[in-house]
Amino acid sequence: MRQPIIRLNPAELRSTPGYSHITVVEAGRLAFLAGQCPLDRSGAVVGVDDVDAQVDQIVANALIALAAVGAGPEHVVRSVIYVVSDDTKVLASVWQRLTGSALATAFTTASTLLGVAQLGFTGQLVELDLTATLVG
């Protein structure tokens, strides 16, 4: 039986800080999660001016969204992380908080971290875009 998700890092490419250069999904359905924002259930931005609080809210929201389709962090095949900052220390801090969270396994796959000028909600500092494979 083939593995449904294969993560690869060719020896000829530089090593990564935990993610894979290539993720192969053998077959099946995919779930594309809308950008997960640091919003509570009422729609309020959580942690205005607190990037750690926003990351924590995004993790909680992403876990709920994944569970709604019968998936978990281990089923994520692509992630894109948007951070309102051009400071590499802030970007690294967000990466470390995500990779230390309950969603950590999601970031062992193909992943991109971007510094951006602005996101959709006033006070929003972080957003997370996930694609997951639905196995079974």
Side-chain angles (χ1 to χ4, degrees), residues 5-106:
I5 303 170
I6 301 166
R7 295 171 174 90
L8 302 169
N9 284 308
E12 298 82 9
L13 296 176
R14 68 164 185 78
S15 62
T16 68
Y19 65 88
S20 298
H21 281 287
I22 304 163
T23 302
V24 177
V25 178
E26 285 297 324
R29 300 175 333 162
L30 295 175
F32 300 89
L33 278 63
Q36 297 300 295
C37 300
L39 304 176
D40 65 17
R41 191 166 179 192
S42 74
V45 174
V46 171
V48 174
D49 297 325
D50 184 346
V51 72
D52 288 344
Q54 291 196 9
V55 168
D56 294 347
Q57 185 66 47
I58 286 170
V59 167
N61 292 350
L63 289 169
I64 291 167
L66 287 167
V69 293
E74 70 277 12
H75 298 111
V76 171
V77 296
R78 176 88 173 112
S79 66
V80 182
I81 306 146
Y82 303 91
V83 182
V84 178
S85 182
D86 63 356
D87 184 335
T88 55
K89 290 180 183 178
V90 173
L91 296 172
S93 171
V94 168
W95 177 256
Q96 290 170 354
R97 192 145 186 108
L98 286 168
T99 60
S101 75
L103 199 57
T105 305

